Amino acid sequence: MKEYIIHNEWKIIEDQFHPEYNKITESLMSLGNGRIGHRANFEEKFSGETLPGNYVAGVYYPDKTRVGWWKNGYPEYFAKVLNAANWIGIDVKIGNETLDLFTAKVLDFKRELNMQEGNLYREFIAELPSGKQVKVVSCRFLSIVETEIGAIRYTVTALNFSDKLTLTPYLDFDIRNEDSNYDEKFWDEVEVNVKPGEGYITAEVRKTLFHVCTGMKFNLLRNGKAITYSADVENRTKFISNIIPLSIEKGESITIEKFGVNVSSENFPKEKLMTTAVKHLNAAFDKGFDQLMLEHSQAWLEKWKTSDVKIEGDVAAQQGIRFNIFQLQQTYTGEDQRLNIGPKGFTGEKYGGSTYWDTEAFCLPFYLATAPVQVARNLLIYRHKQLQKAIDNGAILGFKNGAALYPMVTMNGEECHNEWEITFEEIHRNGAIAFAIFDYVRYTNDWEYLAPYGFEVLLAISRFWAQRVNWSAERQKFVMLGVTGPNEYENNVNNNYHTNRIAQWTLGYTLEVIEYLKEKHLAQYHGLAEKWGFNEHAETANWRDIIEKIYLPFDAKRNIFLQQDGFLDKDLKKVAEIPAAERPINQHWSWDRILRSPYIKQADTLQSMFLFEDNFDKETIKRHFDFYEPLTVHESSLSPCIHTILASTIGYEEKAYEMYLRTARLDLDDYNNDTSDGCHITSMGGTWMAFVKGFGGMRVRNGKVSFAPLMPGKWTAYSFRINFRNTVLEINVNKNTVSIGNLSDQELKLTIYDQEYFIGGNKKTEVQLKLDRNEH
């Protein structure tokens, strides 16, 4: 665990130069606006450890699968969100010396991400080998108002010298993805236009043929006043620049304001891409850096009004939750049904930038409660749009009659993950998508979504489950063989509890939806049944049989559901017995040793306890938590959040707080030694859930939102807002009271500690804080 980031409520601050942690900081201070994003790379040359990263949403390359042993059903490719043109680059030379912080002596350094206003600031003083000292101050942002635009203000000050200063702003499309399977480059140049003061490159992605046009335009100031300049133009394959020779006197400052644009054929016609880029860039340039930044900052302040979480008395916890919310907000805006949330967002290349089950399981609740309803709806529409390809994926594996297996990893609906234990076996992802439909309808009351969208997806998934189980004559039960649950440290097991349970639940929920459609949308239901060849009587009779007779492994001695059939055959030594030098085990142990161990990567059986907690009393949840948590190494970013919620539910305040800090500061403190690859964006939705559902105790039951807040001992107060069915609520909790304000005009019925309250429009209700949720 690394703790070099300064604790601050609104900023992520690196107050010293840490070249050994540079790739970590590049991840942490990444910027995005839902359409484009980049890592916090330096504008000037840096020859130390760095991962240059600039990304354009929705643009990907189908990198040919690389495996040692090909198996039937393997996808042909792994989709990669592409590392696109480096548009932020500004090389700096003083005399004949290139400014490079890896070779210079760094006398002072600060880099900070301002989360409140959405910008990246850096300043440093460097001494070159000649002894010349230069100060640089830079600020940049990616506009969430003009989402094709980014802007940089970069100022060089001569501290102890007068000399020639050469600035070279450039665009570089000659980029290779770090995770390229065969070290290929994925871009081909299409068109170039460069002249003094601006330039554009259009490039095409091989195979998928996406086009992206990236452009730059800039102006120069001396001591804050605009100046004219001359520039030599450089143009080589997939690279353009302006070389600008200047003089600088001791004490003088030269500023370059560089504006960048990125437009793709996802959103604009290919034949008009460069003219579109020119139009957007000229408009931004005319508006100017200050006005663009003001509009951008104001838009961020509006976002925080609905999504902020405030914690008093614990700066580390406060910084953590805001960091998670900030990254979620800049990764996904919900405006485009074709886009989803990659596990690394715009912060790195690991996992290819594709869609996983994380979106439905961990991100959807955040957007349900903090964004307009259309944002969450679009996340579900994304899966509906890919339904036919999910059916095709199932057919590749031998499933019939419209049975859908949604991909573990995808960009366009096709499966593109090539590890057999994940691709073929981690099928609980189907259940996560089904549960998301239920969660959406439960929260929004948007029952109309079920006809046709929700029903069509649920039908296809239920058909999959009905074919994936088989009847065991030995057990006289339906079983599910050869699966991998959420805990990926057990592969190819039989009867994973979570997988079997969520299959059982999905079949039951689909039956409920059918009854709703028959009651409210009978004609449309008959049309859908005909469209999909749905034999209701025969298929639902089979589903009911499976629901009743599915096998859920259970240990009567311990009175707990077992993670899978063979779990008790393992040597059940607790995580506390693993030497610290061997953690995380995925970086120190062989895979064979991990698979034979009892150690759990993330909540598995406990995942079901979280999803279906209303089916268990608190003693049952506690019994399962006490058995499984000591065996959990939490080496998945998705693990601590679920444990926070469950620990809060059963009154384990210290464990809840420990797990909350771990999820909130997972990347900030580099808990799993992997932040350099990029931040864990999708688990950040889980962090929000850990806070709101854990400490806030928020649930939706019987059509009403309910709260059962608790107060961690270190905190003095906290507050958050949610939007529930067009009613905005503000929840304030301190050591003594819980106050819930209705910031909307309409009255709302809700529950606090199992007691019902009516809160009138623009009114509030206050009750006493309970130290124990079980207190009555």
Side-chain angles (χ1 to χ4, degrees), residues 495-519:
N495 296 308
N496 171 260
Y497 172 79
H498 176 70
T499 307
N500 287 20
R501 179 68 184 92
I502 206 160
Q504 179 191 49
W505 174 88
T506 302
L507 294 171
Y509 180 57
T510 306
L511 292 174
E512 293 178 19
V513 170
I514 289 170
E515 292 307 308
Y516 162 77
L517 294 179
K518 289 165 69 174
E519 180 182 349

Side-chain angles (χ1 to χ4, degrees), residues 714-731:
K714 191 173 180 180
W715 300 356
T716 57
Y718 65 82
S719 67
F720 60 94
R721 288 182 179 182
I722 66 160
N723 184 342
F724 180 70
R725 300 182 182 179
N726 297 316
T727 300
V728 177
L729 299 175
E730 182 172 88
I731 298 87

Side-chain angles (χ1 to χ4, degrees), residues 554-555 557-561 606 609 616-629 650 652:
F554 185 78
D555 175 37
K557 178 180 177 181
R558 294 174 176 82
N559 198 19
I560 60 168
F561 290 104
L606 294 184
M609 297 284 158
F616 306 100
D617 59 36
K618 285 187 171 56
E619 282 304 311
T620 299
I621 296 174
K622 180 178 180 297
R623 192 163 57 247
H624 284 80
F625 191 94
D626 289 346
F627 179 74
Y628 284 111
E629 198 285 326
I650 60 180
Y652 285 5

Side-chain angles (χ1 to χ4, degrees), residues 15-26:
D15 69 344
Q16 298 179 43
F17 185 48
H18 294 284
E20 73 278 18
Y21 298 151
N22 185 55
K23 290 175 69 175
I24 297 172
T25 314
E26 288 178 343

Side-chain angles (χ1 to χ4, degrees), residues 138-170:
S138 72
C139 181
R140 71 178 190 247
F141 61 93
L142 293 174
S143 175
I144 60 171
V145 179
E146 311 285 349
T147 54
E148 294 82 14
I149 298 297
I152 304 166
R153 176 177 281 159
Y154 188 93
T155 300
V156 179
T157 302
L159 297 183
N160 66 350
F161 66 90
S162 299
D163 206 336
K164 179 182 175 183
L165 170 67
T166 305
L167 298 178
T168 306
Y170 63 85

Side-chain angles (χ1 to χ4, degrees), residues 448 450-451 455 513-530 534 536:
E448 299 304 306
L450 296 172
F455 169 71
V513 170
I514 289 170
E515 292 307 308
Y516 162 77
L517 294 179
K518 289 165 69 174
E519 180 182 349
K520 299 292 186 180
H521 301 278
L522 184 60
Q524 188 173 13
Y525 169 70
H526 285 315
L528 290 170
E530 182 177 357
F534 179 45
E536 180 186 339

